[in-house]
Amino acid sequence: MEYNFKKIEKKWQNYWEENQTFKTDIWDFSKPKYYALDMFPYPSGVGLHAGHPEGYTATDIISRMKRMQGFNVLHPMGYDSFGLPAEQYAVQTGNHPSKFTNENIETFTKQLKELGFDYDWNRCIATSDPAYYKWTQWIFKNLYEDGYAKYVDMPVNWCEELGTVLSNDEVIDGKSERGGYPVIRKNMRQLCIDQAAFAEKLLDGLECIDWPESTKEIQRNWIGKSIGAHVDFKVDGYEDKFTVFTTRCDTLFGATYCVLAPEHDLVDKITTDEMRSEVEAYKAACALKNDMERTELNKDKTGVFIGAYAINPVNDARIPIYISDYVLASYGTGAIMAVPAHDDRDYEFATKFNIPIIQVLEEVTGTPHEGEETKTSIVAIVYDEEKQKYLTINWGSNGGRLFIGGSRRDCETPLECALREIEEETGYIDLEFVRELPRINHHYYAYNKDKYFNIDCTGLLFKLKSDKKTHQNLDDDENFSVEWVDEDVIINEVKDELHKKTYEYSKNQAAMTGDGIHINSEWLNGLNKMDAIDKMIDWLESHNAGSKKVNYKMREWIFARQRYWGEPVPIVHMDNNETHTLSDEELPLVLPELDDYRGHNGKAPLENAIEWKNYNKDGIKGVRETSTMPGSAGSSWYFLRYIDPDNTEEFANQELLKHWMPVDLYVGGPEHAVGHLMYSRIWNHYLFDKGLSPVEEPFKKLVHQGMILGENGIKMGKRFPKYVVNPSDIVRDYGADTLRLYEMFMGPLEASKPWSSSGVEGAKKFLDRIWRLYTEENKITDEDNKNLEKIYHATVKKVTNDFESLSFNTAISQLMVFINAVYKEDKFPRVYAEGFIKLLNPIAPHITEELWNTVLGHDDTIAFESWPEYDEAKTIDDEITIGVQINGKLRGTITVSLDESEERIKEIALNEENVKRHLEDKEVVKVIVIKGKIVNIVVK
RNA sequence: GCCCGUAUGGUGGAAUUGGUAGACACGUUGGACUCAAAAUCCAAUGAUAGCAAUAUCGUGUCGGUUCGAGUCCGACUACGGGCACCA
């Protein structure tokens, strides 16, 4: 019998379709349910690519196995069919985008069917189908009426020439991607969804779902929760005050200026007359920059002093107010207090504008000890620029190499002290003071004084101007040599933490952003960061100057596009400036046919639908919203619709939702980590709160399939068209079973891996080998064969477990091991032959259906046969081969029975030929026997 | 810059809680079958030395813990992904 995969695959695909094998009886609650879901594709013009079958085969394997295990399985497929390519096609050809879309859907469906997936095609949906988007509109309408969707004034990228709002990726170098017209930032009324209202629920939800940790982390970063405080600053000479958001209110005593975003409301009012023109110019320059530019050109801080001063609530200090675009209007309150000593950005700005820097937190080094003496001191670093050497003193074994250090006398400034110490200890007197370094709180033991100290130490950096020297003036106990050394020696030999840290501060001028203890902060002095934050919040709240506050990076989700091919928004703008939402009976609001799908003068294409646009009903007169919803609207709830796709009364029957949700397994690409997967969670959380979805989290388990790369190891695509693999070609040349088997065998599902044509041939060879075994070898028998018992049970176990954990590559390797073993035997017991076919069925459904029915003589689909069981006891051998190591090196192997005593194993191991040879002239110190694993002999 | 992930033969990749590194497959080499080829079957295949038994080295680099490390800990390097003035 010849393995004619073309005929066989066609035959079984027809059979499944005619017999409705995979139609889900959705109301059958007698069996446990299993909901396997794929991310539905956008039906592009190019058809399926090699990556699609990967994830789809994974869910197909699981759903076929679950069905055989007695689950009622829901495994649907549909199309995310709103999108730009269809609109562009419509603009170019004048045809309706649905023509293009429907043609593509047809192609996709044909391609998916020839891969033999067990989808219930009766439940197929398309987001651009009015019967579907009726409910997208309905959910949106509810979001709007409940205040989660609303019109908000917010800065957007506005292009005057195109007359439209552009997204960040449509703006390049401050010009529009199309046409290259200038784009400015402008406050505009936008239809938005308030995502941040769900932030806490979205964060909490991540704790209880089985998702890749990296994806959860991306979502956490995206939500960007930060806990801090609001602090109010009065403007000197005005009644007005402004609020800043800070996570470091403990550093409030170190605030030396404030910054408002250029767009901040207060700027115009409090700018002084002499600064006004400069401020206006700066604001105008900022408006020309979009978000991307603001962040890309972050090297250099810019800003303008606006002439006004703020009053620091904790100490009434009068500090200048600047505007700068490093403060974003859209985050927090659009205003900050700046603490240059402890924030990198503020440090950079303060250095550039010569603003004072006040250190309020010092790093702690060394370990505290009882009975410490406290004092203030200095560490002086002297650098000879010409010779590139540092001045050190070497205490040898009494303390190693250090910079110059010493205690401050009363009434001595750090600088005076440093100059004195340098002169006394080294004699050098011609020095240039470069700068003071951050103070450090250090605990140490002094060898020469035999005492523990806790010092508050100031670092100072000097340059040597000349070799001019006086005489050293040393105490009796100061026994060291003065040495000039280069950087390498400093790095290797200066071990003292205080001196090391001081050296680091001298090399990198930067803010100290770590933890430590507070200084220069009155009632916070001595506290660490955490304690000081708590104490400061208490103070702010009791003095009415601020409060604890949580902020999120997550912004409003702009929910309108000036496009045609999307869901119309069911809102009417009435003549009195209010909005009216359509009644449920008016849904779906269907897209009107247009003569021209182009938006003229940058306006939304629906502006062309004059008749459609004007609304006049029951005394309500107005104009419809002409923007449409973004692409992610329809895909944010499709998993609910699959459960009840033909319902005309509600988006899905509640009883059905209750039974079928959540999705048990969701497979799709990692590129949707924030977009689709976040929006779906938001919509579902909303529906859950409203009592319309039975679960808080829609996707219980999520897995990302890796990308399939070209044979050259590079992403398939336009750049290397000759390496693009079309699944239909593989199906034609090798069959769907081969493609499925190969893609599952390539490597772990989550990994990116390159395509290999010889790998495809290998997969085909394995199927051929199975075919020959069942049709030509005449080994199948009703007799038993003990030789295959263990490997059969082990195979059932491994394949079952590996499928469960989606480790398809190792499951397949076990199937191969089994087949190799069967080839070595004369008799292949029928029970094993049937069990193997069942194990293989989820991966290669066509060939297994054929063998099951024609060779093994059954007369029905294998799809509902029961999954093979294994006997744990039979997977284990009673004899086992273990390794014998000497000092961790393998020297031989021994075969012992499983329940052999340790003593006996030890004896056998010591008598192994090669082991004996290695033990000659050696003394056995210890023998470690790990039962069933290994013997290790330790010798001297 | 910050956060996350990965690193194993010629290649894709295996390796439960630390316990015989390289399963399985591809490729390569040799052999069988054949007039010949394809297909198929058998054998070898980490590197080095050796006829061999065997020995030494070997899981990105350096160090540590351990009787024993691909696996655990510390430092680093390279690549991939995410975020990027978020106060």
Side-chain angles (χ1 to χ4, degrees):
Chain A
M1 232 161 98
E2 190 208 352
Y3 174 36
N4 184 338
F5 63 83
K6 275 187 196 166
K7 225 170 101 192
I8 291 169
E9 292 187 350
K10 195 76 223 138
K11 169 181 163 188
W12 286 101
Q13 283 160 20
N14 290 339
Y15 176 95
W16 298 327
E17 184 143 4
E18 279 161 23
N19 291 279
Q20 289 287 296
T21 307
F22 301 117
K23 185 181 163 87
T24 306
D25 184 357
I26 204 83
W27 283 105
D28 177 7
F29 293 0
S30 66
K31 295 187 240 174
K33 67 97 184 178
Y34 194 90
Y35 187 176
L37 182 65
D38 300 295
M39 286 185 188
F40 63 168
Y42 172 76
S44 71
V46 293
L48 234 47
H49 60 75
H52 284 123
E54 192 192 13
Y56 299 164
T57 304
T59 52
D60 202 56
I61 291 170
I62 297 298
S63 58
R64 283 174 184 271
M65 175 174 76
K66 290 289 169 188
R67 187 176 295 108
M68 291 168 90
Q69 287 173 340
F71 287 81
N72 191 12
V73 172
L74 175 60
H75 188 210
M77 181 46 79
Y79 300 99
D80 189 12
S81 49
F82 274 130
L84 206 49
E87 181 155 337
Q88 280 164 345
Y89 159 88
V91 166
Q92 278 156 23
T93 63
N95 290 322
H96 194 271
S98 66
K99 179 171 181 282
F100 175 82
T101 303
N102 291 337
E103 281 167 10
N104 290 343
I105 287 178
E106 224 168 281
T107 311
F108 264 71
T109 305
K110 183 177 152 281
Q111 282 190 297
L112 288 169
K113 282 186 176 171
E114 71 185 22
L115 281 160
F117 296 127
D118 68 353
Y119 296 126
D120 177 358
W121 285 104
N122 302 293
R123 324 190 80 81
C124 187
I125 55 175
T127 54
S128 61
D129 178 355
Y132 179 87
Y133 72 66
K134 169 181 177 175
W135 297 105
T136 310
Q137 289 171 333
W138 185 85
I139 297 170
F140 170 80
K141 182 192 138 171
N142 280 274
L143 279 162
Y144 188 79
E145 287 175 342
D146 289 339
Y148 290 110
K150 55 195 170 192
Y151 285 91
V152 178
D153 274 317
M154 62 184 313
V156 293
N157 301 312
W158 174 255
C159 178
E160 191 60 46
E161 270 74 6
L162 296 173
T164 188
V165 171
L166 299 172
S167 69
N168 281 340
D169 45 290
E170 289 168 322
V171 183
I172 295 163
D173 293 335
K175 303 260 167 66
S176 63
E177 189 182 17
R178 270 179 311 136
Y181 303 114
V183 175
I184 62 161
R185 293 171 57 76
K186 185 176 162 186
N187 272 322
M188 279 188 70
R189 246 166 108 67
Q190 291 291 308
L191 185 56
C192 291
I193 287 182
D194 182 15
Q195 309 180 83
F198 296 96
E200 282 302 317
K201 283 173 184 163
L202 293 169
L203 282 172
D204 291 346
L206 290 175
E207 300 307 317
C208 52
I209 47 181
D210 182 8
W211 283 27
E213 203 42 56
S214 58
T215 304
K216 291 192 193 178
E217 200 52 37
I218 290 171
Q219 293 214 342
R220 285 192 199 104
N221 286 338
W222 186 259
I223 296 166
K225 178 178 181 172
S226 68
I227 302 168
H230 271 178
V231 182
D232 298 332
F233 282 73
K234 286 197 192 101
V235 182
D236 192 24
Y238 291 84
E239 282 305 300
D240 300 85
K241 55 183 189 174
F242 61 90
T243 304
V244 305
F245 175 71
T246 176
T247 54
R248 291 299 305 276
C249 64
D250 61 308
T251 62
L252 194 46
F253 284 97
T256 52
Y257 64 101
C258 283
V259 187
L260 305 181
E263 299 90 344
H264 196 281
D265 291 340
L266 214 52
V267 174
D268 285 340
K269 181 168 180 188
I270 62 176
T271 299
T272 55
D273 289 342
E274 64 256 58
M275 298 311 296
R276 188 158 307 272
S277 62
E278 210 180 319
V279 167
E280 287 306 323
Y282 185 76
K283 281 177 66 174
C286 289
L288 284 172
K289 293 190 199 169
N290 59 48
D291 276 345
M292 290 299 266
E293 272 187 311
R294 279 186 170 203
T295 55
E296 261 169 30
L297 306 172
N298 66 9
K299 302 276 178 295
D300 218 13
K301 295 270 180 292
T302 59
V304 182
F305 173 50
I306 65 171
Y309 290 84
I311 304 297
N312 186 337
V314 286
N315 57 6
D316 292 334
R318 192 166 169 269
I319 56 178
I321 302 173
Y322 286 74
I323 56 169
S324 170
D325 65 357
Y326 87 89
V327 171
L328 308 175
S330 49
Y331 182 77
T333 59
I336 63 156
M337 67 176 208
V339 185
H342 303 288
D343 181 281
D344 291 323
R345 297 148 300 177
D346 299 345
Y347 183 88
E348 199 189 322
F349 190 89
T351 320
K352 186 169 170 187
F353 288 88
N354 278 317
I355 302 167
I357 297 172
I358 300 175
Q359 187 186 2
V360 290
L361 201 67
E362 57 183 24
E363 193 156 344
V364 180
T365 56
T367 30
H369 197 275
E370 255 175 67
E372 285 173 331
E373 197 171 305
T374 58
K375 57 181 186 180
T376 55
S377 65
I378 61 101
V379 168
I381 297 181
V382 181
Y383 183 56
D384 183 345
E385 210 163 32
E386 208 175 296
K387 300 194 177 101
Q388 298 196 11
K389 283 187 190 295
Y390 289 90
L391 182 59
T392 64
I393 55 182
N394 193 349
W395 289 85
S397 57
N398 288 328
R401 188 180 298 280
L402 298 173
F403 296 104
I404 289 93
S407 309
R408 269 162 67 188
R409 295 175 184 163
D410 297 341
C411 310
E412 197 178 40
T413 66
L415 180 57
E416 287 160 358
C417 173
L419 290 169
R420 175 178 58 73
E421 289 285 352
I422 296 168
E423 185 180 340
E424 282 176 11
E425 294 185 1
T426 69
Y428 287 98
I429 50 168
D430 195 13
L431 304 160
E432 181 192 331
F433 175 55
V434 180
R435 68 171 185 277
E436 204 172 289
L437 306 169
R439 278 160 59 179
I440 295 170
N441 189 289
H442 185 57
H443 302 271
Y444 77 109
Y445 168 74
Y447 290 88
N448 53 351
K449 302 200 171 76
D450 187 27
K451 235 188 220 170
Y452 289 95
F453 286 98
N454 176 17
I455 55 173
D456 185 2
C457 179
T458 306
L460 298 102
L461 179 62
F462 295 92
K463 259 191 230 163
L464 184 75
K465 283 192 353 213
S466 77
D467 282 342
K468 224 196 284 172
K469 274 170 101 167
T470 57
H471 288 293
Q472 279 171 282
N473 178 12
L474 302 177
D475 294 344
D476 296 342
D477 58 0
E478 289 185 319
N479 179 21
F480 53 75
S481 56
V482 175
E483 293 167 9
W484 286 94
V485 298
D486 35 271
E487 202 169 334
D488 289 355
V489 180
I490 300 287
I491 291 164
N492 292 325
E493 294 186 17
V494 175
K495 299 281 188 231
D496 181 85
E497 264 193 274
L498 170 68
H499 288 246
K500 240 185 143 115
K501 196 81 222 172
T502 307
Y503 172 73
E504 271 171 38
Y505 282 146
S506 78
K507 294 298 280 187
N508 316 306
Q509 263 193 74
M512 199 287 263
T513 54
D515 201 353
I517 67 165
H518 280 270
I519 55 169
N520 294 331
S521 298
E522 300 180 17
W523 36 270
L524 290 181
N525 284 346
L527 296 181
N528 68 19
K529 177 168 143 184
M530 284 290 284
D531 294 342
I533 287 175
D534 290 343
K535 194 162 179 186
M536 179 58 87
I537 288 172
D538 286 347
W539 188 94
L540 289 168
E541 285 177 351
S542 63
H543 288 75
N544 251 338
S547 57
K548 189 168 179 172
K549 172 76 186 166
V550 173
N551 240 310
Y552 303 95
K553 275 194 229 177
M554 197 183 217
R555 308 280 170 86
E556 309 270 29
W557 170 15
I558 300 180
F559 205 73
R561 302 292 126 97
Q562 284 70 50
R563 299 257 156 78
Y564 174 80
W565 194 228
E567 299 88 346
V569 175
I571 290 179
V572 175
H573 297 275
M574 296 191 290
D575 296 344
N576 65 2
N577 259 343
E578 283 174 19
T579 60
H580 166 75
T581 42
L582 300 190
S583 67
D584 289 359
E585 292 69 43
E586 292 171 281
L587 300 182
L589 171 59
V590 179
L591 280 167
E593 299 257 344
L594 297 182
D595 296 331
D596 187 353
Y597 296 100
R598 217 169 332 197
H600 285 281
N601 296 323
K603 289 207 173 124
L606 286 178
E607 291 286 337
N608 300 338
I610 308 293
E611 241 175 82
W612 179 88
K613 207 171 73 174
N614 289 310
Y615 184 89
N616 189 352
K617 197 181 164 206
D618 302 333
I620 294 163
K621 266 186 81 176
V623 180
R624 290 189 200 277
E625 172 66 57
T626 54
S627 304
T628 54
M629 298 188 202
S632 32
S635 60
S636 295
W637 71 282
Y638 76 112
F639 44 91
L640 299 170
R641 186 64 176 175
Y642 278 138
I643 291 169
D644 196 8
D646 299 320
N647 198 327
T648 52
E649 302 304 312
E650 47 189 340
F651 68 81
N653 177 282
Q654 285 298 317
E655 206 181 328
L656 286 176
L657 287 176
K658 212 166 180 172
H659 179 73
W660 285 96
M661 284 301 284
V663 173
D664 293 282
L665 173 67
Y666 195 21
V667 177
E671 67 275 14
H672 299 106
V674 277
H676 161 63
L677 286 168
M678 188 69 91
Y679 300 140
S680 298
R681 293 183 62 219
I682 291 168
W683 278 43
N684 187 75
H685 268 285
Y686 167 72
L687 292 172
F688 175 78
D689 290 349
K690 234 178 141 56
L692 295 175
S693 169
V695 291
E696 281 179 86
E697 287 296 332
F699 313 125
K700 195 161 98 186
K701 180 180 172 127
L702 170 75
V703 175
H704 297 304
Q705 85 272 22
M707 202 187 309
I708 294 188
L709 308 168
E711 202 141 9
N712 54 353
I714 295 168
K715 195 172 157 179
M716 286 186 198
K718 295 187 195 101
R719 236 155 48 94
F720 298 96
K722 77 166 180 165
Y723 290 110
V724 173
V725 175
N726 180 350
S728 290
D729 294 345
I730 307 298
V731 170
R732 184 192 62 221
D733 297 341
Y734 299 94
D737 285 342
T738 298
L739 176 62
R740 295 166 57 115
L741 177 72
Y742 170 64
E743 290 210 359
M744 292 301 100
F745 187 57
M746 288 172 89
L749 183 63
E750 296 91 333
S752 297
K753 49 230 162 212
W755 185 265
S756 151
S757 349
S758 49
V760 180
E761 309 235 2
K764 176 67 163 49
K765 259 157 69 176
F766 179 56
L767 293 180
D768 288 341
R769 202 163 141 82
I770 291 163
W771 184 263
R772 278 197 310 277
L773 176 65
Y774 277 78
T775 61
E776 290 168 19
E777 296 281 330
N778 292 321
K779 293 181 188 219
I780 299 173
T781 162
D782 287 324
E783 288 171 58
D784 197 9
N785 183 350
K786 277 279 169 202
N787 293 342
L788 289 174
E789 184 180 70
K790 186 199 154 206
I791 192 162
Y792 173 77
H793 286 271
T795 300
V796 174
K797 179 182 177 180
K798 183 157 176 62
V799 171
T800 308
N801 293 341
D802 283 358
F803 278 2
E804 200 70 54
S805 63
L806 290 87
S807 312
F808 303 114
N809 55 332
T810 50
I812 292 166
S813 99
Q814 182 66 33
L815 292 171
M816 289 170 167
V817 170
F818 179 76
I819 289 298
N820 290 344
V822 174
Y823 260 98
K824 292 199 170 69
E825 296 292 322
D826 293 329
K827 286 187 286 184
F828 187 15
R830 171 170 290 271
V831 209
Y832 299 164
E834 296 203 337
F836 175 83
I837 289 299
K838 289 183 189 172
L839 292 178
L840 181 66
N841 172 259
I843 303 171
H846 310 90
I847 188 175
T848 47
E849 285 273 22
E850 183 68 13
L851 291 174
W852 179 258
N853 281 283
T854 57
V855 177
L856 296 172
H858 297 272
D859 191 25
D860 198 3
T861 173
I862 194 174
F864 299 97
E865 292 295 328
S866 63
W867 190 249
E869 311 238 319
Y870 62 91
D871 183 346
E872 181 70 43
K874 289 180 179 157
T875 63
I876 306 159
D877 241 334
D878 33 308
E879 281 212 323
I880 186 164
T881 304
I882 61 171
V884 182
Q885 301 178 326
I886 294 175
N887 287 347
K889 268 194 169 83
L890 186 73
R891 295 302 179 193
T893 56
I894 55 172
T895 302
V896 293
S897 96
L898 208 59
D899 47 14
E900 198 67 84
S901 72
E902 267 188 40
E903 271 311 303
R904 182 79 188 116
I905 294 172
K906 200 188 269 187
E907 200 184 316
I908 298 167
L910 288 167
N911 281 310
E912 204 272 344
E913 201 79 10
N914 199 39
V915 171
K916 249 158 83 183
R917 217 162 52 79
H918 278 271
L919 289 179
E920 279 168 26
D921 312 324
K922 299 270 168 51
E923 186 196 331
V924 176
V925 179
K926 201 168 155 189
V927 181
I928 293 150
V929 180
I930 310 291
K931 265 202 163 176
K933 303 264 188 195
I934 206 156
V935 178
N936 193 11
I937 302 162
V938 187
V939 300
K940 255 197 314 209

